[in-house]
Amino acid sequence: MRIVVNSSPLIAFAILQKLNLLPILFTDILIPQAVYDEVTEHGKPHAESLRVFAQGKVVSAQNQMAVQLLTQDVDRGESEVIVLALENGITDVLIDDAKGRRFASLNGVNPIGTVGILLRAKQQGHIELIKPLLDLLIANRIRIGADLYTRALIRAVEN
């Protein structure tokens, strides 16, 4: 299974020290150049671990006109995620932002979020519990709505 990844999920998995889950769950991971530039900017937390993780995964979208058009509605990284997925015939994108997820869907791409990946990892036996991971993300100011938190714990049978 192939996926194109946006910045927020990359940062979330870096915070959790669980970047290793992504290559376990996906055979091919693409990181758009704009996303790479954002998460590895000098002085940003986790920049070094993300730089190492991204080696061999950074790709530039070819259709820059499509990227520019999408940037009228979503940020540059999300635009490149969607365009790269379409250019490479990839059906899934890892995006947390609600507006970015909506635009991915409108463009025929299936958005998956950080919480969805954590649930998948638990279902496949790669992690034991998601509650401590969700709590760590929240403690690090990663927004997870109360409803999503509750639904995730119910699906994970951790309520």
Side-chain angles (χ1 to χ4, degrees), residues 6 9 30 34 41 51 59-60 96 106 112 122 139-141 157-158:
N6 195 31
L30 299 182
E41 188 177 307
R51 189 174 293 110
V59 181
S60 294
D96 284 336
L106 288 171
I112 304 170
K122 181 177 180 182
N140 280 275
R141 297 190 306 232
V157 193
E158 294 181 31

Side-chain angles (χ1 to χ4, degrees), residues 5-151:
V5 185
N6 195 31
S7 57
S8 296
L10 281 174
I11 293 165
F13 283 100
I15 288 168
L16 297 173
Q17 297 180 13
K18 297 284 185 192
L19 285 165
N20 65 312
L21 285 175
L22 297 176
I24 290 170
L25 297 172
F26 300 98
T27 57
D28 194 20
I29 299 161
L30 299 182
I31 300 171
Q33 185 67 51
V35 169
Y36 176 80
D37 293 344
E38 181 181 343
V39 300
T40 61
E41 188 177 307
H42 180 70
K44 284 217 174 171
H46 311 288
E48 188 54 37
S49 63
L50 289 165
R51 189 174 293 110
V52 170
F53 175 77
Q55 288 181 1
K57 298 174 181 74
V58 180
V59 181
S60 294
Q62 297 302 305
N63 188 342
Q64 288 300 309
M65 183 177 288
V67 171
Q68 288 299 326
L69 284 171
L70 274 172
T71 58
Q72 295 174 21
D73 296 302
V74 294
D75 74 26
R76 176 102 186 159
E78 291 161 345
S79 298
E80 285 196 21
V81 166
I82 294 166
V83 172
L84 260 179
L86 293 170
E87 288 177 346
N88 289 279
I90 297 173
T91 57
D92 297 314
V93 293
L94 183 47
I95 295 178
D96 284 336
D97 177 75
K99 191 174 185 182
R101 293 169 65 86
R102 186 170 60 252
F103 272 86
S105 292
L106 288 171
N107 283 279
V109 182
N110 178 46
I112 304 170
T114 298
V115 174
I117 298 299
L118 291 173
L119 283 166
R120 185 177 294 180
K122 181 177 180 182
Q123 290 165 350
Q124 293 182 15
H126 301 297
I127 56 176
E128 193 172 323
L129 296 170
I130 68 164
K131 185 180 186 313
L133 300 175
L134 296 177
D135 291 342
L136 181 57
L137 290 174
I138 292 167
N140 280 275
R141 297 190 306 232
I142 301 294
R143 289 183 302 233
I144 300 174
D147 184 54
L148 176 59
Y149 182 88
T150 302
R151 285 185 291 130

